[in-house]
Amino acid sequence: MADEITFDDFLKVDIRLGTVIRAEPFPEARKPAIKLWIDFGPEIGEKKSSAQITVHYDPERLVGKQVMAVVNFPPRQIGPMRSEVLVLGVSDPDGAIVLIAPDQAAPNGSRMH
């Protein structure tokens, strides 16, 4: 079981909805990954991320897809790229990542409640 946190702790994690506007292979990464440019709307803007999602996703098919991401972690250097947000996903039965996304379209920048 995970460590318990308070509701106030949860509120500190800023999880927002964004739309992938560009995606490219990331051959420089240690593990297979895809570079993502995600539009989080006018308040947050465009942010970059690297995601190890190559088993289930191709870069060209990610453009236009809405995804959930943590937007208030500090940026992290991943090889030559500075990852600015953490895209969220869950593991399938084989351990490959499946992205978390809404089942209906919603405005970019919408905060998870």
Side-chain angles (χ1 to χ4, degrees):
M1 184 169 150
D3 293 334
E4 289 187 10
I5 63 170
T6 67
F7 188 69
D8 287 339
D9 291 334
F10 173 74
L11 291 177
K12 291 177 186 176
V13 181
D14 192 357
I15 300 173
R16 302 286 183 120
L17 179 68
T19 300
V20 176
I21 57 173
R22 184 173 152 201
E24 298 176 356
F26 191 8
E28 304 91 350
R30 263 185 288 149
K31 295 182 181 177
I34 297 173
K35 294 184 213 178
L36 303 171
W37 287 260
I38 305 166
D39 177 10
F40 289 99
E43 180 185 343
I44 297 170
E46 181 183 315
K47 299 290 181 180
K48 294 182 292 188
S49 187
S50 168
Q52 296 174 1
I53 56 173
T54 57
V55 172
H56 293 295
Y57 304 96
D58 294 317
E60 56 277 355
R61 294 184 61 199
L62 284 165
V63 174
K65 182 170 182 58
Q66 289 196 298
V67 297
M68 300 299 298
V70 177
V71 298
N72 65 335
F73 281 151
R76 202 170 153 203
Q77 194 69 36
I78 300 177
M81 180 182 179
R82 192 167 172 87
S83 185
E84 301 170 307
V85 299
L86 175 65
V87 176
L88 300 176
V90 295
S91 297
D92 73 6
D94 297 319
I97 302 300
V98 176
L99 293 170
I100 295 175
D103 64 357
Q104 295 181 27
N108 288 337
S110 296
R111 186 168 184 167
M112 188 180 85
H113 296 281

